Amino acid sequence: MNEALNIFGVRHLSPGAAWHLLRFLEEKNPRCVLIEGPSDATAFIRDMAAKNVKPPVALLAYTTELPIETVLYPFASYSPEYQAISWAVNNRREVRFIDLPSGRMLKLRQERHSEEDVEKADEFYRYHNGLYEKVAEHSYEEDYESYWERKFEHNLTDGSYNKGLSYQSGQMREMVINRELEAVPYDYSYNLIREAYMRREIANAVREGYKPEEIVVIVGAYHVSGICSDLPSMSDEELNKIAETPSQITLMPYSYLRLSSRTGYGAGNRAPYYFEMMWSAMEEKRLADLPAIYLSRVAQYMRSKGFNASSASTIEAVRLANALTSLRDGELPVLKDLHDAAATCFGGGELSVVAEALNNADIGTAIGSLPEGVSQTPVQEDMAQELRRLKLVNYKSAVAQDLTLDLRENLKVKTREAAFMDLNRSTFLHRLRVLGIHFAEKQNVSQDSASWAEKWVLRWTPEVEIEIVEANLKGETIEIAAAYQLKEQLNDCTDVSLAAKIVRQACECQLTNIFENALSILQRLLVDSENFIEMVDATDELSVLIRFGDIRQFNLDPLIPILQQLFLRASLLLVDASSCDDKAANGIARAINTMEIISQHQYETVDVETWQKELKKLAWRDDLNTKLSGVAFSILLEHNLANEEDCAKEVSRRLSPGVPADLGAGWFEGLSGRNRYALLSRISLWRELDKYVSQLDDDAFYRSVVFLRRAFGSFEPNQKNSIAELLGELWGTGEEYTAETLQSELTEKETEKLDELNDFDFEF
C-alpha cells in the first residue's frame, strides 16, 4: 500500500510548499485528501474553506478540566494544508484530518510535563536544532531560515520540493534516532504514536474503497518516513490504551502577530506577512518582483513616519539585495538580504532606524475573521447572547464608541430588566475586563465623581474574538470564566492590596462566592502584612467600594469590620515605615495622603484618633525621614492639632543652622506638599525659612536648593507670586518689586548655576 500512496511532506506555513502541493494535487487528481491534524477537527474543514472566511485562522483544541492544556493549528492563506483543503472542497473531493483525536493528544501532552521530561526535551531540541544550523553552515548561510528560503521557497522547479524536503527530513530523523540520547524517548515515542494512528486512518480510507493511488497524504516532512515505514498501523486495542481527557475544539480567528515565531509560537515563522507577499507573487508568476514589493512597503512605512525613503533609495536597496544574494549564488534575495539592504539604503547602516518598518513588513497587522455562528465555543455563544440581552450589539463595530452608564435604578420603565439595564451592562463589562477581553475600556474618573456614573469606550476587533475564545479555557460562560480568573489570582495571592482589589472586582462583577473567599483571604493576609503601602492600598480599595458600592445592590456590610482592621493596622505601621530614605519616602508620602482622605470619608467608621496619634509621633520625631515628618506636620496644622506657636517653634528647630541642609530643606518640602494656601498665611514660617537660608554657607546652600527648588517647582504661578510678596514684606524691598524680580527670566550665569545643582541631586 505504502508504495502506491501519494505522500507530500510539507513545512507548515511555507508558501513554497503550498505552490508545489497544488501542482501535485492537480497532477495526481486524488479522490481522497488526508491531512495531518486532529481527526475530530474534520467537521470544521467545510467551515475553513467557506468563501467568507478570511485567514489567518486556527484550530484550537483545549482541555475542559484542569490542568489546562492546548494544542493549536494555525493556518495562513499560504499554508499548504489550507490550500489543500480549499482545493479538495472546491473539487468536491473527500478531505479529512488523520492525526490523533484532540482528547488523546492533549492527554499525552499533559503527561510530559515532569521536570525530568522538560530537561530531556531541552537536550533533545538543542541537538535537533543544532543539526539545522549545521546544514546552514555547510551551505555558507548565516542561519537555517536563510538556507530554507533560498533552497526551498525560491525553487519552483517541478517536483523539487517534495523530493528534496522528504530526503532532508528523513536524513535528519535518522541522525536523531542513531544518536543515543536519553532525551529522545518521550518526544520520539509521542511522534511514533501519532504516526501509527495516521497509518490507521490511511488504512481505514483504503478499506472504505479508496485505492492507495487515489489518496494524497499531506503531513509534516518529518513524518513522511514514519508514514512510509513497514511498522503496523495502530490497532483498536492499542488505541483504547491511550487515555483521553475531556476536551473541545473550535475554529477561531487568528493574527499574524500571534502567528509569528517572534511572539513565542514555536511552529510559526519569523515573517508571516512577508511570506504572504511571497505567496501572492508566486500566484501572479512574479516572484522575481518580491524584493521590490517588500522594500517598497518598507519605504512607504518609513515615509508615513516622517523618515526619508525615496524611490531612488528603494531602487538602490533592490539592487543591493540582488547583489548580496549573488555573493551566495542565490537566484533571489532572502529576507536577511532584504533587511541588510534596507538598513544600508534607508537607515544609513543602522538597523535600529529601520527596525519598526521591517517589523511591519515582516509581520504585518493582518487579523483573520469568521462569519458569525461558525464554530462557536460556549463562551462565544454566551457573549453573543449577553450582547443581545444588554442591547450592545450596535457597539460591535471597529469604530470606537462612547458609552456612559447610570448605575441607578431607572424608575421610568416597567420591567426590572430595563430598570437595571446600565447596572447589568456595567457588571458584564467588568467581567470582560477581568478576563482581558478588550471590547470595552473603562475611562478613569476622579474618586469624587465615582458614584453612579461610569464611562466606557467600546470597540470590536478580531483580536477581541481571539480573547473570547481563549476565555473558554476558563469556563463555559463569561460569568464562570471571570470567577475562575479571580479564583486563580486568589490562589496565588500574597499581597494584601491585591486581595482587596479582587474583593472590589468580585463586587463589580457580582460574583458572591469569590467575594466571600476573597474577604477570607484578605483577613488572613492583613494580620501578617508589615507593608504600609500595601496596607493603605487595600484600605483605599475597600473605602471606595463602601462609599459607592451600595449602588450595585451588593451586601457590603461584611466589609466594614475589615476596613476598620485595615485602617488601624496601616495607622500602626506608619512610624516604622517612615524610617526610610528619600527615594522610598515618595511612596510613603502618597500613602499618607491616601490615609488622610480615607479618614475624612470614613470618619464615622475608622479609628481616626489612632491615626492622628501616629501622625503626631511622626511629626515630632527627629530620627525618621524628615520629608515625611514635614508631611505629617502639615496635616496636624490642617486639623488645628498644632497651633501658630508650635509651627514657629518647629520651623525654627527643623531649619536651624545645626541641622544638615538637605534634612531641613527636605522637611520643608514635605510640609509644603499639602494645603499651600494655609502655609501662605503663616508669616512666621516664611520668616524662619528666610533666616535659615541666609545663615547657610555656600555648600549647604547648594544642597538645600536641591530640595527647595523641587518643593517650589510644583507651586502654581499665583502661589509663587504670593510667596514673592511675602518675602518682599520681610526684606523691606516692596511687594511689587520683589515679585517682579523673583519671577523674571534667569540670566545665563544663573542658569549655569542651576545646572550645577545636578551635582548635588542625590538620585532624587
Side-chain angles (χ1 to χ4, degrees), residues 523-535:
Q523 281 185 300
R524 173 172 56 80
L525 291 174
L526 76 85
V527 173
D528 298 323
S529 178
E530 300 290 336
N531 189 307
F532 174 69
I533 293 178
E534 287 183 9
M535 195 67 65

Side-chain angles (χ1 to χ4, degrees), residues 37-51:
S39 55
D40 52 332
T42 296
F44 297 100
I45 284 178
R46 300 289 167 180
D47 288 338
M48 291 175 62
K51 291 183 179 180

Side-chain angles (χ1 to χ4, degrees), residues 408-681:
R408 298 171 297 184
E409 180 180 4
N410 185 352
L411 301 176
K412 298 179 180 179
V413 295
K414 296 181 179 179
T415 66
R416 180 176 177 83
E417 179 75 13
F420 293 101
M421 176 64 72
D422 277 4
L423 177 59
N424 292 333
R425 284 174 166 178
S426 173
T427 299
F428 172 68
L429 296 180
H430 277 288
R431 289 173 179 173
L432 297 184
R433 200 179 186 198
V434 164
L435 289 169
I437 297 174
H438 294 88
F439 171 49
E441 295 294 334
K442 190 172 185 290
Q443 304 304 291
N444 292 326
V445 294
S446 66
Q447 286 193 354
D448 291 337
S449 62
S451 54
W452 48 265
E454 284 184 351
K455 292 184 178 180
W456 298 79
V457 175
L458 277 58
R459 181 170 176 263
W460 190 272
T461 67
E463 286 287 342
V464 169
E465 297 207 39
I466 296 173
E467 292 163 352
I468 295 168
V469 173
E470 291 174 340
N472 202 76
L473 302 177
K474 301 165 186 174
E476 295 189 351
T477 67
I478 296 294
E479 179 179 1
I480 293 173
Y484 174 85
Q485 177 70 17
L486 291 181
K487 180 177 178 293
E488 287 294 290
Q489 292 180 24
L490 275 176
N491 290 342
D492 299 327
C493 186
T494 58
D495 182 335
V496 65
S497 61
L498 177 58
K501 179 182 178 182
I502 294 172
V503 168
R504 174 179 56 78
Q505 290 175 315
C507 174
E508 292 168 340
C509 296
Q510 294 287 323
L511 301 173
T512 306
N513 292 337
I514 293 297
F515 181 83
E516 294 171 354
N517 191 19
L519 281 183
S520 175
I521 291 175
L522 177 58
Q523 281 185 300
R524 173 172 56 80
L525 291 174
L526 76 85
V527 173
D528 298 323
S529 178
E530 300 290 336
N531 189 307
F532 174 69
I533 293 178
E534 287 183 9
M535 195 67 65
V536 173
D537 288 342
T539 309
D540 187 44
E541 290 279 5
L542 265 60
S543 175
V544 173
L545 190 54
I546 289 172
R547 284 176 62 201
F548 305 122
D550 59 341
I551 202 165
R552 293 187 180 276
Q553 301 184 347
F554 207 91
N555 181 19
L556 299 176
D557 291 343
L559 289 181
I560 294 175
I562 300 179
L563 172 66
Q564 293 170 332
Q565 293 176 56
L566 284 168
F567 187 88
L568 178 59
R569 180 80 173 148
S571 298
L572 297 176
L573 289 172
L574 171 64
V575 173
D576 286 343
S578 299
S579 181
C580 63
D581 59 22
D582 281 326
K583 187 174 183 179
N586 292 328
I588 302 294
R590 285 192 293 270
I592 291 173
N593 290 330
T594 299
M595 281 289 284
E596 183 60 21
I597 292 172
I598 295 170
S599 72
Q600 294 171 23
H601 289 154
Q602 305 288 348
Y603 66 92
E604 293 182 343
T605 304
V606 299
D607 189 348
V608 177
E609 183 178 347
T610 297
W611 167 242
Q612 293 179 344
K613 179 181 177 182
E614 296 303 309
L615 282 174
K616 288 179 181 178
K617 292 180 183 178
L618 172 57
W620 299 107
R621 291 260 300 257
D622 294 335
D623 58 337
L624 301 174
N625 184 279
T626 54
K627 177 179 178 178
L628 298 178
S629 294
V631 173
F633 191 78
S634 178
I635 295 174
L636 297 184
L637 289 175
E638 292 175 23
H639 293 295
N640 293 319
L641 298 175
N643 56 33
E644 290 292 329
E645 184 179 351
D646 293 330
C647 181
K649 289 181 179 179
E650 187 65 3
V651 173
S652 176
R653 186 172 74 87
R654 294 284 185 176
L655 302 181
S656 65
V659 175
D662 48 346
L663 297 182
W667 178 85
F668 181 80
E669 182 187 358
L671 178 73
S672 64
R674 293 182 57 91
N675 202 347
R676 290 164 182 168
Y677 289 104
L679 296 179
L680 292 173
S681 66

Side-chain angles (χ1 to χ4, degrees), residues 268-280:
N269 56 41
R270 293 181 301 169
Y273 183 59
Y274 167 70
F275 283 109
E276 181 187 304
M277 286 188 264
M278 181 183 292
W279 170 246
S280 297

